[in-house]
Amino acid sequence: MEAKSDVDLLKRAWRNEKAAPEILHFEAGLVQRAREQIQLLEETLDEFTENRSDDLVVSLYQMDLDRALFLLRSYLRIRLQKIENYLVHISKTNLWNRLSEQEQRFAKRCIEIMEKHLEQSVLSRLPYGYQSMLKQSISSDEDDMVPEPQLDTFVFCKTKSDVGAFQLDDTGEEIVDLVADDLYVLRYKSIRGLVDGGRIDLV
Amino acid sequence: MAGQSNPHISIFSAPEVEFLAEDEVVEIVPNIKMDAVNMICGDFGPFFPQIATKVPLWLAVALKKRGKCSIRPPEWMCVERLTHVLEAERESPREFQPLPFHYVEMSKLLLDNAHEDIPDIYMVRSLIEDIRDVRFHKVETGLETISGRTHAVKLKNLSAMEVNIVRPFMVRALQAFYKHDSPEMIQQPESTVNRRAQVVDRGPRVSPCDVEVTGSSPRSSLLQKCKIRETCDPVRLLERACGGEGNSTPFNVHQTKNDLGMRHMDQSIKCIKCILLSEGKLISVLR
């Protein structure tokens, strides 16, 4: 495998995150490195402006900085969007461990606020038995009011290397041969393991 | 609510796809002397006049806009190669020719920003447009082959922008087929006739308690379901409203015989024409 710059890696993480229906593992190390590089470049740019360096060079660096910033922000933002959408679901499953510390803090506060808001505006005025934020009524066995990401959806993905014969469903009736660098439309649920292991890229 | 998800969350916008394409490497010939730049996305240069060097496309365009370099068009962007690709594209209706993953965006950026660096620019532009048209037509005809048993679609050599355009429709179609072909949707044909009528009225959502898995063929029971809905099928009405079975557009997916299921299985699918109309963006891209 060729060595990839952090920007390339961040780009891949961003693409995967955008294309996957559920929240993926937070790329802590990568984000940390990207932040450091961005900070370094910001400092360099400050120096440049003090020394009145060549405008052309400064503007090129500025563009590079803007591109990295966009990527990082968009990555963080798409995650926040997912957290907001599937707040309760994430907090109740082991998806919680995929969040960064800050994201966990954000999610906790978000849940609190949401609970308080719903309680005050609607739930407290409903008859007994219908006052739960999670259940339609007290007779529901499960939490049936919790939005969940739709894992049955189909995603476009590109294979990085040969995966070989890959089983798409539980019964083993559907098998595709995943060849390197090919584009497929597959059900997310069946390939989530490959996405997690970084063997396949979503596009 | 459970089961619903924001349909737009996973879709890249066209500028975002272009952003990705701007990292593709091209060759430039600078006309200035400049030290090497150490950027977050890599180190480039040093730059000397008349000595070619490789930079990402965004950097090339930035320099070009300031008149500091000329861009060498990539190898595939010449009349000879493109003519060859177009011919091959037309000759083989079942496959796509290999082109760079971002060929649409790259050619657009280069044609807009570096027109004097590309020989035979008019020819190149029209060839690329033709190639795009031929390829998209193939995508459209390919959509016809999607059926309930489609678990995977292989699209070798499809490019990023083409993926982005076809994604909303493709994903929704596959999802609907998957949902309606899953065993939970297939019900006992005899004993649940009355119940089924109710279920059908409620549309695609079937609560788990109504479900019975049987050994009957999925197709036949689906067809029965279709019949019930045929009389007051909103899709039919919609179809009539937008020109019926007419052939005014190139999209003929909903006219084929073997996709009966597609029309009647799910209201949310409608016919491809209606979807394309409702997503005005798409249709403008296609034209």
Side-chain angles (χ1 to χ4, degrees):
Chain A
M1 295 297 285
E2 79 273 52
K4 284 196 161 181
S5 76
D6 282 343
V7 170
D8 286 331
L9 294 173
L10 190 59
K11 210 160 73 174
R12 206 185 76 203
W14 173 69
R15 263 183 158 170
N16 282 349
E17 194 67 65
K18 259 180 105 78
E22 63 174 346
I23 198 153
L24 305 175
H25 276 289
F26 182 69
E27 301 274 357
L30 182 59
V31 168
Q32 182 62 32
R33 289 200 300 275
R35 287 182 111 124
E36 279 164 11
Q37 289 182 39
I38 286 170
Q39 207 176 354
L40 201 70
L41 186 55
E42 274 171 344
E43 283 163 16
T44 326
L45 267 173
D46 284 343
E47 272 171 41
F48 276 147
T49 30
E50 272 171 34
N51 302 340
R52 297 172 179 272
S53 304
D54 188 5
D55 278 350
L56 176 68
V57 179
V58 175
S59 72
L60 292 180
Y61 275 117
Q62 185 66 48
M63 280 179 84
D64 181 46
L65 177 67
D66 289 344
R67 291 175 66 83
L69 275 174
F70 166 77
L71 210 51
L72 184 61
R73 284 185 186 137
S74 185
Y75 174 70
L76 296 175
R77 207 168 275 157
I78 190 83
R79 290 182 60 87
L80 288 183
Q81 212 175 331
K82 281 188 189 174
I83 293 173
E84 278 181 23
N85 283 344
Y86 307 116
L87 207 53
V88 183
H89 176 70
I90 290 175
S91 71
K92 289 213 179 310
T93 53
N94 54 7
L95 290 180
W96 185 253
N97 302 326
R98 296 189 175 184
L99 307 191
S100 71
E101 250 176 71
Q102 292 101 315
E103 284 170 340
Q104 287 180 348
R105 248 193 334 253
F106 168 79
K108 263 184 209 150
R109 285 197 50 207
C110 222
I111 292 179
E112 276 168 29
I113 294 166
M114 191 66 117
E115 258 170 10
K116 204 169 148 197
H117 169 66
L118 286 174
E119 182 68 37
Q120 280 174 356
S121 56
V122 189
L123 293 172
S124 61
R125 289 171 178 77
L126 292 179
Y128 170 77
Y130 296 93
Q131 292 183 345
S132 164
M133 187 173 91
L134 306 176
K135 294 177 181 181
Q136 293 201 25
S137 77
I138 207 161
S139 58
S140 311
D141 297 329
E142 298 161 11
D143 297 342
D144 49 5
M145 295 269 281
V146 180
E148 284 176 27
Q150 209 178 345
L151 300 183
D152 270 337
T153 193
F154 284 77
V155 289
F156 286 74
C157 52
K158 231 178 169 184
T159 40
K160 282 198 267 189
S161 52
D162 278 343
V163 175
F166 185 71
Q167 190 177 323
L168 286 181
D169 56 356
D170 306 331
T171 53
E173 283 169 24
E174 297 290 333
I175 288 174
V176 271
D177 195 16
L178 299 181
V179 188
D181 216 27
D182 256 3
L183 191 80
Y184 299 88
V185 192
L186 299 170
R187 211 150 54 84
Y188 177 72
K189 215 176 187 168
S190 50
I191 56 153
R192 67 199 285 203
L194 293 180
V195 177
D196 218 24
R199 297 182 68 189
I200 205 167
D201 281 343
L202 304 181
V203 288
Chain B
M1 287 255 78
Q4 289 184 348
S5 68
N6 180 357
H8 302 292
I9 195 169
S10 69
I11 294 173
F12 294 84
S13 69
E16 280 170 343
V17 181
E18 196 178 285
F19 174 82
L20 290 170
E22 281 170 345
D23 282 327
E24 297 289 319
V25 174
V26 289
E27 213 173 38
I28 60 165
V29 182
N31 53 25
I32 48 155
K33 189 176 180 308
M34 196 169 79
D35 290 336
V37 284
N38 308 308
M39 300 197 162
I40 300 182
C41 62
D43 303 337
F44 307 103
F47 303 92
F48 299 106
Q50 307 313 321
I51 295 184
T53 179
K54 287 187 173 168
V55 293
L57 189 52
W58 67 266
L59 192 60
V61 170
L63 286 171
K64 178 77 200 171
K65 275 186 181 161
R66 291 166 176 77
K68 308 288 185 200
C69 75
S70 60
I71 301 177
R72 283 199 183 156
E75 271 172 40
W76 55 269
M77 240 177 107
C78 66
V79 174
E80 198 188 329
R81 287 283 283 274
L82 289 172
T83 320
H84 181 73
V85 169
L86 182 61
E87 268 168 26
E89 211 62 84
R90 286 195 170 130
E91 271 163 21
S92 52
R94 294 241 140 257
E95 60 183 17
F96 300 99
Q97 295 306 309
L99 274 174
F101 191 51
H102 290 290
Y103 86 96
V104 179
E105 305 90 299
M106 285 178 80
S107 61
K108 184 181 181 302
L109 282 166
L110 289 174
L111 290 171
D112 286 355
N113 292 298
H115 26 87
E116 69 262 28
D117 295 340
I118 303 166
D120 309 313
I121 182 158
Y122 290 106
M123 199 62 190
V124 168
R125 193 191 293 268
S126 80
L127 276 170
I128 288 176
E129 269 170 27
D130 286 350
I131 291 173
R132 279 179 61 175
D133 287 348
V134 175
R135 285 168 68 105
F136 210 83
H137 182 74
K138 275 187 219 174
V139 175
E140 283 162 12
T141 27
L143 284 173
E144 288 179 40
T145 60
I146 294 180
S147 77
R149 286 281 127 217
T150 312
H151 283 256
V153 182
K154 185 172 168 175
L155 295 161
K156 196 175 160 84
N157 294 331
L158 197 69
S159 81
M161 199 55 104
E162 288 156 349
V163 165
N164 216 39
I165 289 171
V166 76
R167 180 186 344 247
F169 180 77
M170 183 90 134
V171 168
R172 268 153 76 187
L174 282 168
Q175 252 173 355
F177 273 121
Y178 180 76
K179 191 164 86 181
H180 292 276
D181 232 25
S182 65
E184 292 101 61
M185 286 294 291
I186 316 298
Q187 297 149 41
Q188 195 107 46
E190 299 301 318
S191 61
T192 55
V193 171
N194 293 330
R195 218 196 273 166
R196 182 168 58 227
Q198 289 169 5
V199 170
V200 168
D201 282 344
R202 276 198 282 142
R205 288 191 126 236
V206 180
S207 63
C209 57
D210 287 338
V211 168
E212 278 165 74
V213 183
T214 70
S216 74
S217 135
R219 281 271 161 251
S220 67
S221 71
L222 274 174
L223 279 177
Q224 281 176 3
K225 220 188 298 175
C226 296
K227 270 181 200 152
I228 299 172
R229 288 178 64 178
E230 198 151 29
T231 42
C232 56
D233 185 356
V235 174
R236 264 285 164 81
L237 297 173
L238 257 171
E239 230 170 52
R240 252 178 241 157
C242 64
E245 312 279 318
N247 19 16
S248 52
T249 71
F251 316 120
N252 49 6
V253 170
H254 73 301
Q255 291 168 8
T256 55
K257 276 178 190 157
N258 56 5
D259 73 330
L260 263 178
M262 177 154 165
R263 263 194 283 172
H264 301 291
M265 265 160 37
D266 188 351
Q267 280 173 247
S268 68
I269 276 246
K270 301 180 187 144
C271 71
I272 185 168
K273 222 191 239 174
C274 307
I275 287 190
L276 292 169
L277 284 175
S278 68
E279 288 171 9
K281 238 192 201 165
L282 237 183
I283 206 153
S284 64
V285 176
L286 295 175
R287 283 181 177 159

